[in-house]
């Protein structure tokens, strides 16, 4: 029995802010940020968008592709760093809005930027274990970055939803692996608005050690080599990190195999949505037989790895819902820093 | 503004979240929001139907001085939209420049945050319309 993705969907906000617009406010050197981090602009959620609304739209698009009765969904998990409530699940609202039944296991996940991939991981595992026919894993964020902090140039918004099942699978999950260690590179304490990070420490001992640990174990487990894959996608806190990780592993970063799921330079870092949205962009254009290598990363720190094989079922479903890349490239609405600050509640007001 | 009654919003979730309407099984008339009785027929029976996800703008107004829960959204368009089922409803238009709104403009519905009473309250969600 093959278990894997039976439907996928993505939602990106329309609003954008350019890196120069942020840099101008803080007196930062935009060209050096662009060159150093490979970041050009990022998405910004509208005042009426949050993790719940983005997740509902992404999940509905996944249902449009899967064509299943939402009542058959047995579990729904959302991974995010920006659940609208501290106490009250995002998942129940999303499940209710997409018409999932009440007999559903629902939970909100948190593990910095890998919360979305772990939602996918658990959803896949439950279907594989035979506990249910369908389970939904969603990665979504309206990411936080403190004004003036390096994170402000990247923290963005978006969601991707994946329905796992065993009938009419569009991408089988062939291998998975998870790797973690107690590495405090990025965190946010209770009641704090913005995360803290350990500067350069977030690179080598955190992102790269963890990503490589998971990726190498996944390659060893599968007996496959980078050249066996048609596409790869990694967590992308900026444009540079995933490019370097892919190169270190031996993937070619010059072609569509890497670039299709590499969205951060124009999307920003969608935190829990980052590698899932990259995977969504790949599934939009993948062909039957394609092999996809995916490794997420979440600070704290851990990575989830997946190897997918695309099936013949995918072709008929790709155009049944909006693709990811056009949402990134078309109908963009650029904000001033003032509008951005208002939308992100960065302006202190009497209330 | 008075505190929203959470129970009322909870009862309205099917119509707010999934646009569930009532269809008179005899006349075929669709009521949205759903009605318990049909006009002139207390014995009418209904079946639940989900409204089409798209429609067109019948008329609209631009709100520039908004009530408190929507103040951050101003200026925004409030429109009467006729769905493909022929049902007319009032909703906000979002993700567009208010100067671009036109009568007859095709729209589709998207799930959005409607408002909250304050930073500690329940958040109320429902449908808005975006330009197709």
């Amino acid at each position: 029995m093959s278990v894997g993705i039976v439907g996928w969907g993505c939602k990106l906000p329309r609003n954008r802010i350019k890196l120069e617009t942020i840099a101008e406010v803080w007196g930062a050197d935009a060209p050096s940020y662009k060159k150093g981090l490979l970041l050009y602009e990022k998405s910004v959620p509208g005042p009426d968008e949050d993790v719940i609304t983005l997740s509902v739209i992404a999940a509905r698009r996944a249902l449009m592709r899967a064509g299943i009765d939402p009542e058959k969904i047995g579990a729904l998990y959302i991974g995010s760093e920006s659940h609208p409530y501290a106490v009250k699940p995002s998942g129940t609202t999303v499940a209710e809005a997409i018409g999932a039944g009440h007999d559903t296991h629902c939970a909100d996940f948190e593990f910095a930027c890998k919360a979305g991939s772990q939602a996918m991981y658990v959803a896949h595992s439950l279907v594989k274990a035979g506990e249910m026919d369908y389970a939904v894993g969603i990665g979504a964020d309206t990411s936080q970055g403190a004004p003036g902090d390096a994170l402000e140039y990247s923290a963005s918004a978006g969601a991707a939803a994946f329905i796992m099942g065993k009938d009419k699978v569009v991408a089988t999950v062939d291998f998975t692996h998870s790797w973690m260690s107690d590495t405090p590179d990025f965190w946010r304490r209770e009641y704090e608005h913005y995360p803290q990070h350990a500067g350069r420490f977030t690179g080598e001992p955190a992102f790269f050690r963890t990503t490589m640990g998971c990726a190498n174990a996944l390659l060893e487990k599968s007996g496959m080599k980078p050249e066996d894959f048609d596409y790869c996608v990694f967590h992308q806190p900026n444009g540079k990190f995933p490019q370097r990780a892919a190169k270190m592993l031996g993937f070619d970063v010059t072609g569509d195999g890497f670039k299709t799921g590499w969205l951060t330079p124009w999307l920003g870092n969608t935190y829990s949505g980052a590698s899932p949205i990259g995977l969504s962009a790949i599934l939009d254009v993948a062909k039957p037989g394609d092999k996809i290598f995916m490794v997420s990363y979440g600070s704290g720190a851990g990575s989830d790895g997946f190897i997918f094989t695309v099936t013949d079922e995918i072709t008929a479903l790709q155009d049944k819902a909006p693709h990811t890349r056009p949402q990134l490239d078309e109908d963009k609405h650029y904000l001033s820093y003032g509008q951005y600050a208002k939308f992100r509640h960065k302006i202190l007001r009497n209330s | 503004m008075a505190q929203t009654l959470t129970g009322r919003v909870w009862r309205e979730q099917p119509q707010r979240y999934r646009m569930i309407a009532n269809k008179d099984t005899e006349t075929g008339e669709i009521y949205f929001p759903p009605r318990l009785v049909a006009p002139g027929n207390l014995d009418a029976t209904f079946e639940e139907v989900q409204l089409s996800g798209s429609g067109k703008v019948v008329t609209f107004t631009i709100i520039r001085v908004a009530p408190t829960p929507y103040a951050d959204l101003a200026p925004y368009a409030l429109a009467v939209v006729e769905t493909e089922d022929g049902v007319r409803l009032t909703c906000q238009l979002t993700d567009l420049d208010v100067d671009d709104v036109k009568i007859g403009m095709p729209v589709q519905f998207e799930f959005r945050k409607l408002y909250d009473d304050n930073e500690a309250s329940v958040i109320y969600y429902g449908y808005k319309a975006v330009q197709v």
Side-chain angles (χ1 to χ4, degrees):
Chain A
M1 179 185 68
S2 294
V3 174
I5 297 165
V6 299
W8 75 100
C10 167
K11 168 66 180 175
L12 303 179
R14 171 185 183 239
N15 296 311
R16 300 282 186 280
I17 187 165
K18 287 183 181 291
L19 185 139
E20 291 92 334
T21 310
I22 300 172
E24 185 185 17
V25 171
W26 302 110
D29 182 35
S32 68
Y33 265 91
K34 282 175 145 178
K35 193 174 168 216
L37 297 173
L38 289 179
L39 286 171
Y40 309 119
E41 59 189 54
K42 66 170 192 172
S43 66
V44 181
D48 56 1
E49 292 181 302
D50 63 17
V51 158
I52 289 176
T53 68
L54 296 170
S55 297
V56 167
I57 296 169
R60 282 180 176 163
R61 290 174 175 175
L63 280 167
M64 286 160 73
R65 288 200 170 99
I68 63 163
D69 177 359
E71 292 261 357
K72 290 185 176 169
I73 291 169
L76 187 142
Y77 305 118
I78 302 176
S80 180
E81 289 181 46
S82 20
H83 292 292
Y85 290 91
V87 177
K88 190 204 168 298
S90 303
T92 50
T93 304
V94 175
E96 187 76 40
I98 66 169
H102 296 298
D103 300 301
T104 302
H105 187 248
C106 190
D108 287 359
F109 287 171
E110 186 278 327
F111 191 146
C113 298
K114 92 165 181 81
S117 67
Q118 68 195 14
M120 295 166 61
Y121 188 102
V122 175
H124 163 255
S125 300
L126 284 168
V127 175
K128 190 177 177 185
E131 289 289 319
M132 53 194 64
D133 292 333
Y134 299 102
V136 182
I138 301 172
D141 252 308
T142 54
S143 312
Q144 304 83 32
D149 187 82
L151 289 173
E152 192 179 28
Y153 295 94
S154 61
S156 66
F162 299 87
I163 302 172
M164 301 293 182
K166 54 198 174 206
D167 295 323
K168 298 191 173 174
V169 173
V170 300
T172 59
V173 177
D174 304 334
F175 296 93
T176 61
H177 190 79
S178 282
W179 198 99
M180 67 102 225
S181 68
D182 183 4
T183 306
D185 59 316
F186 169 106
W187 63 93
R188 180 161 65 88
R189 296 281 301 273
E190 186 89 294
Y191 307 121
E192 290 294 309
H193 288 295
Y194 302 112
Q196 303 284 324
H197 58 87
R200 288 185 178 275
F201 182 75
T202 59
E204 206 54 59
F207 176 89
F208 290 105
R209 175 173 176 246
T210 310
T211 301
M212 300 303 283
C214 182
N216 283 322
L218 191 58
L219 288 172
E220 190 178 330
K221 194 185 262 186
S222 63
M224 298 172 77
K225 297 185 285 299
E227 52 266 36
D228 296 331
F229 294 93
D230 301 281
Y231 294 98
C232 63
V233 59
F234 298 89
H235 177 53
Q236 31 203 299
N238 51 54
K240 206 104 177 179
F241 276 23
Q243 200 181 53
R244 200 172 135 207
K247 271 187 193 169
M248 286 161 72
L249 286 162
F251 286 95
D252 173 20
V253 298
T254 60
D256 290 344
F258 174 76
K259 288 181 175 174
T260 304
W262 183 57
L263 308 175
T264 287
W266 307 273
L267 175 60
N269 180 6
T270 47
Y271 286 18
S272 304
S275 49
I277 292 171
L279 176 63
S280 167
I282 290 169
L283 293 174
D284 289 345
V285 298
K287 293 185 175 52
D290 283 350
K291 300 276 186 191
I292 304 169
F293 186 82
M294 170 179 170
V295 175
S296 67
Y297 171 72
S299 292
S303 285
D304 296 323
F306 301 84
I307 289 176
F308 302 97
T309 300
V310 177
T311 76
D312 294 341
E313 301 283 347
I314 201 164
T315 316
L317 302 190
Q318 283 169 325
D319 293 337
K320 289 202 166 187
H323 284 210
T324 302
R325 190 75 211 194
Q327 293 182 64
L328 191 58
D329 296 338
E330 298 166 10
D331 192 32
K332 294 190 276 194
H333 177 64
Y334 287 100
L335 303 177
S336 65
Y337 191 86
Q339 289 170 310
Y340 162 76
K342 177 184 154 188
F343 283 7
R344 300 302 292 139
H345 306 289
K346 293 182 187 220
I347 299 174
L348 190 61
R349 301 193 296 190
N350 288 329
S351 58
Chain B
M1 185 190 167
Q3 185 87 14
T4 304
L5 294 173
T6 304
R8 194 200 87 189
V9 177
W10 174 74
R11 281 191 292 278
E12 292 173 351
Q13 278 176 359
Q15 71 208 46
R16 285 175 180 258
Y17 286 11
R18 300 193 302 280
M19 305 188 79
I20 300 297
N22 264 8
K23 184 177 183 181
D24 188 321
T25 52
E26 193 178 328
T27 66
E29 188 81 22
I30 298 174
Y31 297 103
F32 186 82
R35 303 183 65 120
L36 294 175
V37 292
N41 181 7
L42 298 179
D43 296 326
T45 55
F46 301 97
E47 62 177 349
E48 282 188 356
V49 292
Q50 185 169 32
L51 294 184
S52 150
S54 53
K56 63 182 183 201
V57 172
V58 175
T59 188
F60 67 95
T61 186
I62 307 298
I63 307 291
R64 297 183 189 276
V65 182
T68 306
Y70 310 112
D72 283 356
L73 301 174
Y76 60 87
L78 194 64
V80 173
V81 174
E82 184 171 306
T83 71
E84 286 175 351
D85 325 83
V87 172
R88 290 185 174 191
L89 54 87
T90 306
C91 68
Q92 279 183 22
L93 306 183
T94 190
D95 271 6
L96 45 69
D97 187 329
V98 292
D99 296 331
D100 293 340
V101 182
K102 303 240 174 354
I103 288 173
M105 187 176 85
V107 293
Q108 59 189 29
F109 298 104
E110 276 200 359
F111 191 84
R112 295 295 174 121
K113 177 179 165 181
L114 298 182
Y115 69 98
D116 53 22
D117 296 320
N118 52 61
E119 287 195 353
S121 80
V122 169
I123 304 166
Y124 305 107
Y125 295 94
Y127 52 84
K128 292 188 182 183
V130 298
Q131 191 173 3
V132 176

